[in-house]
Amino acid sequence: MMQALALAERARGLTSPNPLVGALVVKDGGVVGEGYHARAGAPHAERVALTAAGPKARGATLYLTLEPCVHQGRTPPCVPALLDAGLRRVVVAVLDPNPRVNGAGAAALSQAGLEVSVGCLEAEARRLNRPFFTWVTERRPFVTLKVAMSLDGKISSWNRASRWITGVEARGEAHRLRSEADAIVVGIGTVLADDPELTVRLDPPWQREPYRVIVDSQARTPTSARVLSAGSPGRTLVAVTESADAQRVTALEQRGAQVLTLPARDGRVDLTALVAELARREVTALLLEGGGELNAGFLEAGLVDRVAVFVAPMLLGGQDAPTPVRGPGRGLKEAFRLTGMTARPVGEDLLIEGDIARGDEDVHGHC
Ligand SMILES: NC(=O)c1ccc[n+]([C@@H]2O[C@H](COP(=O)([O-])OP(=O)(O)OC[C@H]3O[C@@H](n4cnc5c(N)ncnc54)[C@H](OP(=O)(O)O)[C@@H]3O)[C@@H](O)[C@H]2O)c1
């Protein structure tokens, strides 16, 4: 199953809105076929593995990181193909959370007389597909908040310069994070300060183009903003409220942007409505790139799942220099806590990552 999970991982960032899936056909202790789901619309992992195995699949065991489907999606259901192959046993890591499958795939296999077991490396399989599970079960994207800051916690200098706080390797890693996302989101403050492109810049060029999203209640985005001319025009979304000036909205649309008029909360874009709209557009993974005001808004709305902070070996100082999370702030008891923290060097910087603890989790040492 570990090998099947590693196969699935090869398509990271390419399968959305589908999950990553890997499959391995094993007979007499040897692998006779393997496969993974390469992109939405391409054959499912189990079909690739069974095709590779050919007649050797008869009497074999199939290791599969996600329950096989029983419904017609972009491709035909897989359960009949598993039955036709003459497998003896199927080992599934985790059930598909999609209500159209959820146990039905496994049940159909055992009703047909196959030996079926579910739950092998289940936690790892869930972790592999956190965006997919969040999107299917909560109808919202999995949100990663990404920050680049100095060791003293500043995301730009006192005079608002933020290019570049981190080194070239960390910036490369940040583009890799972008490549795994279906949408990259920033606040209007960041567009006005930094004029970012919000594109994925990797070598070789990345095959998918995440949405570039600006949260901009009053449609203040300048028509000269780089985010409007970078990449395909239709992939830039500007989220505004009803009170945005109609002429500015029209000017943004004429530049090719899609303007999403969303409900307001306290006069600003309602972020819960924004992520629901993005989920409807098949955004399963969202990368939130600041700035501090928007980060605070997402955190307060309970919409952040994971935090990735690049820490540069520099001290910027300045009491007015911006920090990663603005908003009103919280007391120690109410702070947003993180679990499963890790840190690793990326070039000369450190990447610190962790998950936002939900109320029902035990946060060690802070009860
Ligand atoms: N180093 C880094 O990682 C990094 C990354 C990004 C930015 N930055 C820095 O951060 C600074 C900009 O940050 P910022 O805090 O001024 O601006 P920001 O967070 O980029 O944008 C904040 C604006 O977003 C709009 N907004 C709309 N709906 C909102 C909601 N529900 N909650 C919160 N905001 C909402 C508000 O303007 P409206 O009310 O007009 O809509 C708000 O003023 C710059 O200095 C930039 O260089 C650094």
Side-chain angles (χ1 to χ4, degrees), residues 147-148 155-156 160 162 165 187-190 193-194 215-217 220 268-269 271 289-294 297 322 326:
V147 174
I155 61 169
S156 59
R160 300 293 185 270
S162 64
I165 289 178
I188 179 62
T190 296
D194 299 346
V215 189
D216 179 14
S217 317
R220 292 188 284 146
R268 288 173 160 181
V269 173
L271 299 175
E289 295 204 8
E293 193 62 24
L294 191 64
R326 288 172 62 177

Side-chain angles (χ1 to χ4, degrees), residues 234-249:
R235 299 297 284 179
T236 303
L237 310 178
V238 185
V240 306
T241 61
E242 293 272 346
S243 63
D245 180 80
Q247 278 182 347
R248 298 192 69 89
V249 167

